[in-house]
Amino acid sequence: MVSLIFLSGIGALSMSIFLPAMLEMSRNFNTSYTLIQLSISLYLVFTALIQLVAGPLSDRFGRRSVTLFSLVIFVFASLGCYYAQSLEMFLFFRLLQGTVAAGFLMSRAVIRDISTDEHESASLIGYVAMGMALIPLFAPGIGGIIDTAFGWRFIFVFMAIIGFTLLTILFFDQGETKRFNESEPSISLKAHLDLFKSRKFWGYSMTLAFSSGCFFSFLGGASYVASEVHSLSSVVAGLFIGFPAIGYFTGNYISGKYSKQKGTSFMIQFGCFNIIFGMSLSFILGLIFSPNPYIFFGLCTFIGSGCGLIIPNASAGILSVNVNLSGTAGGVGNAIMIGVGAALATISSAVLEGGDSSAPLQLVMLISSILAIISFQLFLNRKDS
């Protein structure tokens, strides 16, 4: 289970560890913050594509081979980011880093493989994600320290070392969990069509996408808000950017403890209203008071707690629509989530550029949280749990 925590978390590490250094990176490549932010939005687009490929491949060939191959590419791509001398080459290797997103999907597919039902898998995913939440809690701070002490390029050396270490551990530790039934082929055109016709699949997927979209919006604008609106140093910015991870840890703990008792639908709705409350309060207080990093970043913990409640339960729901196609379902669901997240991250960066207020970002996050609960109400109801 520990290896699954790190397999889930390495994608979060790759996403957040370099955020405090983004302005320094834009100066190094002599480009705008909006262009360097492509290292997030394009990365997300590529990880969405990876999910679409990795899911079906894992259903066909198993979880182990897909996991190990993705980590090998991640290690080499991280070293490529370190050596890149132009923005174009950096973005190319940054895209390749996105192959590690297969690990996020594989960890959940493995859990569904070994679970008896949807609610048990939601509980296990919650506990794994609770451990994973510690990574983005500390990653921005670690990135800020590395940037200050050695320069931003060494952040990617650190990622390469972490990737290689995890690759070595999983090579000896991870067995194959996918159960193949040769006498009853499960991967057919009809099975795929039935999956994509499922109201539950789209309900879970769109709710997951818009709730996670709040966090991706945060990722797209947090560095700008910290540095330009609140004038925080790289190290301090890294600590503030890690605030949502505190809520994520708490939300996943609640999911792990209560998902089997309360059911997935209850937990998802609770998570949605959690985010809406936090973002509504953040937006209102942001309009009333002068810019305050404690208000903005502190209330973003509600994004983390809401996602900690929603993601394990919605993910378990997606994987349970057809357990024989759990890899495919999870891949498509994650691709939808990441695609929406990439769009919102880009929008967040664009609405902040050149401004001196966090209000545009707060509004984007609030709208995304409202769309999450609307998606749930349109596609799902309590009897689905």
Side-chain angles (χ1 to χ4, degrees):
M1 195 63 73
V2 174
S3 60
L4 292 180
I5 292 173
F6 285 103
L7 183 58
S8 293
I10 192 169
L13 175 78
S14 176
M15 179 64 67
S16 60
I17 191 171
F18 74 102
L19 293 179
M22 285 181 65
L23 286 175
E24 179 61 31
M25 292 164 63
S26 67
R27 287 190 284 266
N28 182 262
F29 286 119
N30 193 28
T31 189
S32 67
Y33 176 82
T34 300
L35 285 178
I36 203 67
Q37 194 271 342
L38 290 174
S39 61
I40 294 177
S41 55
L42 290 180
Y43 175 89
L44 290 174
V45 171
F46 189 74
T47 58
L49 297 176
I50 289 296
Q51 304 286 324
L52 293 174
V53 175
L57 285 178
S58 73
D59 285 332
R60 177 65 180 86
F61 300 106
R63 320 302 188 198
R64 175 182 162 83
S65 57
V66 172
T67 299
L68 297 180
F69 183 69
S70 69
L71 284 171
V72 169
I73 296 178
F74 175 77
V75 171
F76 284 104
S78 298
L79 294 175
C81 289
Y82 170 79
Y83 286 109
Q85 296 301 310
S86 67
L87 178 63
E88 293 77 12
M89 288 303 298
F90 171 78
L91 290 177
F92 171 76
F93 286 113
R94 175 64 181 158
L95 288 182
L96 288 184
Q97 271 194 313
T99 55
V100 79
F104 179 84
L105 172 60
M106 291 304 102
S107 66
R108 278 146 178 75
V110 167
I111 289 172
R112 188 63 190 94
D113 289 342
I114 63 177
S115 300
T116 57
D117 59 34
E118 174 182 331
H119 305 307
E120 181 185 1
S121 62
S123 179
L124 290 175
I125 290 173
Y127 281 125
V128 168
M130 183 179 69
M132 183 197 78
L134 296 175
I135 295 174
L137 175 61
F138 295 108
I142 293 172
I145 293 171
I146 295 174
D147 176 43
T148 301
F150 306 106
W152 67 265
R153 291 182 182 274
F154 282 87
I155 294 174
F156 293 92
V157 174
F158 180 78
M159 280 194 263
I161 294 172
I162 294 296
F164 181 77
T165 302
L166 182 58
L167 173 64
T168 303
I169 293 172
L170 290 177
F171 182 82
F172 294 102
D173 180 64
Q174 182 184 1
E176 183 54 64
T177 60
K178 171 65 178 175
R179 294 182 290 271
F180 297 96
N181 188 344
E182 298 296 337
S183 62
E184 185 180 351
S186 60
I187 303 178
S188 65
L189 178 59
K190 183 180 184 302
H192 284 83
L193 291 176
D194 288 343
L195 173 67
F196 299 128
K197 289 178 182 178
S198 169
R199 190 177 183 86
K200 287 183 65 175
F201 172 79
W202 289 106
Y204 287 127
S205 295
M206 297 310 297
T207 305
L208 177 64
F210 284 117
S211 57
S212 299
C214 295
F215 180 66
F216 287 120
S217 299
F218 174 81
L219 290 180
S223 182
Y224 184 93
V225 171
S227 302
E228 296 298 302
V229 177
H230 299 299
S231 302
L232 303 178
S233 68
S234 180
V235 174
V236 175
L239 295 175
F240 273 92
I241 291 171
F243 273 24
I246 299 173
Y248 192 58
F249 181 91
T250 305
N252 279 293
Y253 171 77
I254 296 172
S255 290
K257 190 172 179 64
Y258 295 109
S259 288
K260 289 184 71 174
Q261 301 174 26
K262 298 294 185 180
T264 54
S265 289
F266 175 85
M267 301 300 286
I268 291 170
Q269 290 182 92
F270 182 35
C272 288
F273 287 119
N274 207 289
I275 300 176
I276 291 173
F277 170 77
M279 291 304 95
S280 297
L281 187 60
S282 176
F283 182 67
I284 293 170
L285 293 180
L287 294 178
I288 296 174
F289 298 102
S290 58
N292 186 316
Y294 292 98
I295 291 177
F296 175 79
F297 289 102
L299 289 173
C300 281
T301 57
F302 282 94
I303 295 177
S305 61
C307 286
L309 293 164
I310 296 166
I311 292 176
N313 289 280
S315 297
I318 291 170
L319 295 171
S320 299
V321 174
N322 182 337
V323 293
N324 291 321
L325 286 172
S326 59
T328 301
V332 176
N334 284 348
I336 294 170
M337 175 188 72
I338 295 168
V340 171
L344 288 171
T346 303
I347 291 171
S348 298
S349 175
V351 298
L352 286 170
E353 185 76 23
D356 59 358
S357 170
S358 60
L361 176 58
Q362 290 164 305
L363 183 60
V364 170
M365 292 189 292
L366 176 58
I367 292 173
S368 185
S369 66
I370 293 172
L371 290 173
I373 192 63
I374 290 175
S375 297
F376 182 90
Q377 296 298 333
L378 284 176
F379 290 99
L380 297 169
N381 54 52
R382 291 186 183 277
K383 67 182 179 182
D384 293 321
S385 65

